[in-house]
């Protein structure tokens, strides 16, 4: 039965049963969010075991992981409609059950199409569950409904769990000798979440349910297909030798353009599109997409160059390499807390300065790595560049999201998150990683040819020199971008920041929009 409307008073969680202490309730929900954010389908922390056990190529597994990342990005335009249609209890039960099923079936199949579908569904419901949890404790995190407090704390969980998931997967795989242990670990954790939801929550509504209509499911599927086609082009580019392959040419020159035309045409000609055309007209959207692309270009050197250096030159195993995930977690926490202090303690409104500081940290990571490329380097000397990269990346991620809230009204904000996700959730990383792989192959071939006359040559030497050359090129590109940031006259925000609206007010606005539509 519908409950009373939610009042704009002290923070409460009426969906949690009364025998749970009030002070403990939001912490339990926060723990559930941590479990959700650690959940995927296949876990890249045990990538080498996955390649050997499943018989799939490295490119296949990375593409499956990209499907999960795309799945995380796509529910944003639907989230409020789900919240206003279903109860918190039902949403969490469904999200948890789907993720448990995806993890279970992923252990028992080697079918690449099926794994892609499972990964997409796991990512999709991972975000649905996380949003439902965080939307119910956001007033506990920031009673003033301040985005500048909410997003730094949120991204400690979102970005931090990415690092911790890899670290946990590597250690479980090492100590139990099976990559499936991570899936069983997540299934066990999700079952505990399911038990908590069944026993400690109740159905509660703060407003009458809205009809689950006027949702562009086909638009969501088309935009997802467009992203995955772009990721396929760059993920399999080296394997298919780019345009030499008939399959690659079909995807790049037939499927991708046709899907793009259909997506844009549908967006312009239906009443309630997945992404409204008005969302593309904000003056900040294109520059922010470009900033995210540059950000992912530098961050992608972690997979394309750093991991190649630690595995191909230093010969670190996956357990040793997992220590970098732990360092990355601390870097994420530091970056998010710098943003928190910048906005809420120092009371700074200058995003341009914060962007420059974050980008300088990313650039320092590239410079330090350039001078650290050596076959005799100690692992401790690699902790600093990892810390710099993850700190700078977290600062950029948080500050750009807060910046987006100030220029896009709440009506289009979640569409804006999806649009940002087109770049930051898989596509930019695949483009940059594929480009670096292409350049790496050519640099290694040139270096081998250059030194062939000297006699027998260790393969690690030309590989190491090629990595250093690409780090140097990235550094020069980064300096140019840094200068552009310093010269960019970024539009300033008002002294009073926009705040998170109350959900019942959002629901009322959505009802009005439905009546107008």
């Amino acid at each position: 039965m519908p409950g009373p409307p939610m009042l704009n008073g002290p923070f409460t969680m009426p969906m949690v049963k009364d025998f749970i202490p009030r002070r403990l309730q939001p912490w339990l929900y926060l723990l559930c969010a941590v479990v959700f954010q650690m959940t995927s389908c296949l876990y890249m922390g045990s990538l080498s075991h996955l390649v050997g056990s499943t018989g799939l190529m490295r490119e296949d597994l990375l593409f499956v992981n990209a499907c999960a990342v795309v799945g995380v990005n796509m529910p944003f335009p639907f989230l409020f409609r789900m919240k206003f249609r279903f109860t918190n209890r039902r949403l969490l039960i469904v999200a948890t059950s789907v993720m448990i099923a995806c993890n279970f079936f992923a252990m028992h199949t080697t079918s690449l199409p099926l794994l892609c579908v499972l990964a997409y569904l796991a990512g999709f419901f991972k975000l649905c569950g996380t949003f439902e949890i965080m939307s119910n404790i956001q007033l506990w995190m920031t009673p003033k409904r301040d985005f500048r407090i909410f997003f730094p704390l949120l991204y400690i969980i979102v970005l931090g769990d990415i690092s911790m998931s890899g670290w946990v997967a590597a250690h479980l795989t090492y100590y139990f000798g099976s990559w499936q242990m991570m899936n069983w670990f997540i299934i066990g954790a999700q079952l505990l979440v399911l038990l908590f939801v069944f026993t400690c929550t109740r159905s509660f509504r703060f407003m009458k349910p809205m009809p689950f209509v006027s949702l562009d499911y086909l638009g969501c599927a088309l935009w997802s297909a467009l992203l995955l086609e772009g990721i396929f082009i760059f993920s399999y580019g080296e394997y298919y030798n780019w345009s030499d392959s008939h399959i690659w040419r079909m995807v790049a020159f037939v499927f991708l353009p046709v899907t793009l035309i259909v997506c844009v045409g549908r967006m312009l000609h239906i009443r309630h599109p997945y992404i409204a055309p008005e969302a593309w007209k904000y003056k900040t959207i294109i520059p922010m997409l470009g900033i995210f692309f540059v950000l992912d270009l530098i961050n992608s050197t972690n997979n394309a160059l750093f991991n190649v250096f630690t595995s191909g030159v230093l010969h670190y195993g996956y357990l040793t390499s997992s220590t970098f995930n732990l360092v990355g977690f601390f870097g994420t926490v530091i970056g998010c807390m710098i943003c928190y202090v910048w906005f809420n303690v120092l009371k700074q409104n200058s995003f341009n300065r914060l962007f420059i500081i974050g980008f300088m940290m990313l650039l320092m990571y590239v410079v330090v790595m350039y001078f650290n490329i050596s076959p005799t380097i100690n692992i401790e000397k690699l902790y600093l560049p990892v810390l710099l990269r993850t700190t700078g990346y977290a600062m950029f991620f948080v500050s750009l999201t807060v910046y987006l809230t100030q220029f896009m009204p709440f009506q289009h904000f979640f569409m804006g998150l999806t649009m940002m996700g087109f770049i930051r959730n898989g596509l930019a990383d695949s483009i940059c990683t594929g480009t670096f792989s292409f350049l790496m192959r050519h640099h290694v071939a040139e270096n081998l040819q250059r030194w062939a006359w000297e006699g027998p040559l260790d393969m690690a030497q030309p590989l190491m020199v090629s990595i250093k050359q690409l780090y140097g090129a990235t550094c020069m590109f980064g300096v140019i971008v840094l200068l552009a940031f310093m010269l960019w006259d970024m539009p300033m925000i008002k002294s009073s920041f926009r705040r998170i609206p109350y959900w019942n007010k959002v629901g009322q606005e959505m009802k009005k929009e439905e009546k107008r539509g």
Side-chain angles (χ1 to χ4, degrees), residues 12-21 24-30 32 36 86-94 96 129 132-133 136-137 191-205:
T12 59
M13 298 185 68
M15 69 289 298
V16 181
K17 293 182 179 178
D18 295 334
F19 69 86
I20 303 293
L24 186 61
Q25 291 174 4
W27 288 105
L28 291 173
Y29 261 51
L30 192 65
C32 293
F36 278 15
F86 305 107
T87 63
N88 173 261
R89 176 184 173 89
R90 179 176 294 183
L91 283 170
L92 293 182
I93 289 175
V94 171
T96 306
E132 182 57 30
I133 289 173
N136 282 287
I137 63 174
L191 285 173
L192 291 176
V193 172
L194 196 59
L195 179 64
F196 164 75
V197 175
F198 267 117
T199 58
C200 301
T201 66
R202 55 173 168 249
S203 296
F204 172 82
R205 294 187 185 276

Side-chain angles (χ1 to χ4, degrees), residues 309-356:
F309 173 63
T310 56
S311 60
V313 177
L314 301 180
H315 304 294
Y316 290 165
Y318 66 91
L319 188 65
T320 303
S321 298
S322 70
T323 58
F324 299 125
N325 292 94
L326 202 58
V327 176
F329 172 78
F330 289 111
T332 296
V333 174
I334 292 171
C336 292
M337 293 312 298
I338 288 175
C339 292
Y340 180 89
V341 171
W342 181 269
F343 291 128
N344 302 288
V345 179
L346 301 179
K347 304 296 182 181
Q348 296 291 321
N349 292 342
S350 174
F351 284 88
N352 200 14
R353 293 178 184 176
L354 192 59
F355 289 166
I356 290 173

Side-chain angles (χ1 to χ4, degrees), residues 22 25 119 130 162 180-181 226 302 338 344 362 376 394 400:
R22 179 170 291 186
Q25 291 174 4
T130 302
I162 294 175
Q180 296 174 331
M181 285 308 302
L226 181 68
N302 178 60
I338 288 175
N344 302 288
L362 286 169
T376 59
L400 281 173

